[in-house]
Amino acid sequence: MANATPRVPSLFLKALKKSPWVFHVGTSGCNNCDIEIADCLTPRYDIERFGMKLAGSPRHADVMLITGPVSRACREPLQQAWLEMPRPRAAVMVGACACSMGAYKDAYSVTGPPDKVLLEVDPDARFVYVPGCPPKPETIIMGIVKLLGAL
Amino acid sequence: MGEITTWVFFFLIFPGMLFAVFVGLAMSWVDRKVTALVQWRKGPPVTQPLWDVLKLLGKEVIVPAQAWAGGFLAFPFVAFSAVAVAGTFVWMAATGFGPPPMGDLIVVLYLLTVPTLAVILGGAASGNPLGAVGASRDMKLLLAYELPFVIALLVAVFQERVVDGETIRAGTLSLSGLVEFQDLAGSILLRPSGFLAFLVALFCAHAKLGFVPFDLAEAECEIGEGALLEYSGAALALFKLTQAVLLATMPVLLVTVFWGGMDPGVGGVLAFVGKIVLILVLFVLIKNTNPRVRIDQAMRFFWGPVTIVALLALLLAQLGL
Ligand code: SF4
């Protein structure tokens, strides 16, 4: 994992930790995780305190939040969106579905959990797993914070 | 030689690029913080805009396969340098720092159009369909607000006052000339014509900054930041810095033209900062209490009521009010 990541100067690394912009991809879960992600923006949780911001385009993002198992239709768009993110980049798997397929395991319509799908196109991809069905907003925020600590 | 170094200092350090960047970042923090307070949130820390820019500077710059690479990478520089020069002229005139600047209203107006044009061209060069949509909206918006903006600034030029039985006219396009006129005759803002023109200019500046309700060129939730969609890393950072410097320039331009610039002394500086922050907070409140308009609504708004009010202000100014 560590060998392929380009060495980044520490000031930039600090800046990255202070302002992780997230891009949200729903790969056909039940949509409840997506709602919990939207909750993080509300006054109660206010992730802007940590400099996190929802980016409108993967080009602007540093962290990708992925919810749900990857359906056949979502496979290529997900891979493409991942490759569009400028390096360094990382992903957070939000919810049981994204971590391990959850209730969709062995379903005919899905092609695998997002981490496997992303590893196919980018072997250096880094992930953090946030289990729960759906995870609480606190848990999601904690997941992102852990990810930043691991960078 | 000495003169050249002083001008380099003016343009690059104070009150040009470096200073304007920091003021602009601080002002964009005020924007985000006030927005957060309006929404009952806590908001980002004061260093947040700086970290954002630093982070973007360190990220990978991706040139999309379908883009015209040269233009795509050049336009951020064009936008940033133009707005930095415009900022220098406006700040020098407002604060009376250095020699009377060469630039007058016309130069500043042109330079302030360049960032918008660069965003339009950059969006077109990115080869992204949503970028093209954003670029075309930006172009229409530019056409919409530029006309009333020019008329509103002309109102200041046509001001006439009777001071001690003598009629004095502003009659100058130079920014420092307008500040001198207001030193003699009082703020233009305080007269009926000046007040109307100020309101018009406020709306136009709001649209120029791309704030809600006139953010339809960026429209994050429908066309994902429009023309900036494909930009990443340092190129995006330059556009963000352009926006920051523009944010540091527009309120100062309004204060210079309509509100008498800065008086010398500590009190003068404090009053100047107060005026700027007041205008900024006004922007933020308008931004937070209005939903986005459609492009046809924006054009009807600017070419209809706003232009009519601007013409009315021009008429009043001609009547000496
Ligand atoms: S983890 Fe649960 S809540 Fe989240 S998408 Fe899957 S089924 Fe829905």
Side-chain angles (χ1 to χ4, degrees), chain A residues 29-33 68 95-97 104 132-134:
Chain A
C30 79
N31 231 286
N32 203 342
C33 282
C97 292
Y104 296 88
C133 183

Side-chain angles (χ1 to χ4, degrees), chain A residues 9-10 18 21 29 35 42-43 53-54 99 109 117 138-139 143:
Chain A
S10 60
K18 293 262 184 190
W21 291 359
I35 292 165
T42 55
K53 205 174 91 167
L54 267 189
C99 292
S109 57
V117 172
E138 293 99 321
T139 329

Side-chain angles (χ1 to χ4, degrees), chain A residues 114-138:
Chain A
D115 50 354
K116 296 244 166 66
V117 172
L118 290 185
L119 282 173
E120 281 171 24
V121 287
D122 179 10
D124 314 325
R126 306 171 139 224
F127 312 108
V128 150
Y129 301 87
V130 181
C133 183
K136 284 183 164 188
E138 293 99 321

Side-chain angles (χ1 to χ4, degrees), chain B residues 45-57:
Chain B
V46 65
T47 45
Q48 191 56 47
L50 191 62
W51 288 123
D52 286 351
V53 168
L54 276 178
K55 177 204 71 179
L56 286 175
L57 283 175

Side-chain angles (χ1 to χ4, degrees), chain A residues 31-87:
Chain A
N31 231 286
N32 203 342
C33 282
D34 309 72
I35 292 165
E36 295 301 314
I37 288 178
D39 271 356
C40 297
L41 300 169
T42 55
R44 181 155 192 154
Y45 299 105
D46 186 23
I47 55 171
E48 205 188 3
R49 282 178 298 154
F50 310 119
M52 296 179 204
K53 205 174 91 167
L54 267 189
S57 141
R59 293 264 193 244
H60 305 175
D62 313 297
V63 176
M64 186 180 264
L65 297 183
I66 308 179
T67 62
V70 184
S71 67
R72 280 167 208 278
C74 275
R75 191 183 173 80
E76 276 181 26
L78 173 65
Q79 291 176 337
Q80 200 179 341
W82 176 258
L83 292 179
E84 275 175 9
M85 267 173 48
R87 270 172 242 266

Side-chain angles (χ1 to χ4, degrees), chain B residues 239-288:
Chain B
F239 271 130
K240 294 277 172 206
L241 286 177
T242 306
Q243 278 166 356
V245 177
L246 199 60
L247 187 59
T249 306
M250 295 311 291
V252 182
L253 179 64
L254 294 186
V255 170
T256 313
V257 174
F258 295 106
W259 211 344
M262 188 175 87
D263 295 330
V266 179
V269 175
L270 285 182
F272 180 63
V273 173
K275 289 173 193 173
I276 295 174
V277 172
L278 193 70
I279 292 182
L280 184 63
V281 171
L282 209 58
F283 278 148
V284 179
L285 290 182
I286 295 177
K287 168 181 161 174
N288 276 299

